[in-house]
Amino acid sequence: MDVLREFHTGALRLRVLHHAAQSPIHGAALAEELATRGHRVSPGTLYPLLHRMQEAGLLKSATTAEAGRRLRRYRTTKRGKRLLEACLPVVTDLARDLGTPIA
C-alpha cells in the first residue's frame, strides 16, 4: 500500500501546484476542489503537505482577513510553475499511454 500512497501523493502535489497557479487559494477551498477530483484529503494531511511544499520553495503564502477570519492563501512560486511545466509533457504522455489497453 505504501507504493500506492506514493503515487497518490505525487498526483496530489501536482494538483496543488496547478490550483495554486490558477489563483491564490486557501486550504479549505483547496480541499474542496481536490475532493471533486477524487482526492479526499484531511486537514491533517493537507496542511503539512502545503507547509512542506512551501519550505521546498514551490508555494508561497500570504495571510488575509476575511469576514473576521484569517485565511492563509497559497500561490505557486516561479520555481513551482517551472516544475509544473516540466511535469506536463510527462503527465500528458502517461495519460495517453494509460488510455491504451495493456497487453
Side-chain angles (χ1 to χ4, degrees), residues 25-37:
I25 190 166
H26 62 86
L30 183 57
E32 288 175 16
E33 180 61 34
L34 292 170
T36 68
R37 304 292 185 196

Side-chain angles (χ1 to χ4, degrees), residues 14-98:
L14 288 174
R15 288 214 186 262
V16 167
L17 285 176
H18 169 73
H19 290 296
Q22 301 302 309
S23 64
I25 190 166
H26 62 86
L30 183 57
E32 288 175 16
E33 180 61 34
L34 292 170
T36 68
R37 304 292 185 196
H39 295 279
R40 306 244 186 271
V41 184
S42 72
T45 297
L46 181 60
Y47 288 101
L49 174 67
L50 292 170
H51 186 74
R52 285 191 305 273
M53 291 177 73
Q54 189 169 353
E55 285 179 344
L58 303 174
L59 297 174
K60 58 186 172 185
S61 67
T63 303
T64 60
E66 234 177 75
R69 292 181 29 202
R70 293 181 54 177
L71 295 176
R72 181 174 299 271
R73 294 187 185 277
Y74 295 88
R75 183 95 171 131
T76 304
T77 63
K78 288 180 183 178
R79 181 178 183 197
K81 287 179 184 177
R82 284 193 306 268
L83 178 64
L84 188 58
E85 288 171 5
C87 289
L88 186 59
V90 174
V91 172
T92 301
D93 192 45
L94 175 62
R96 192 173 22 255
D97 286 349
L98 292 175

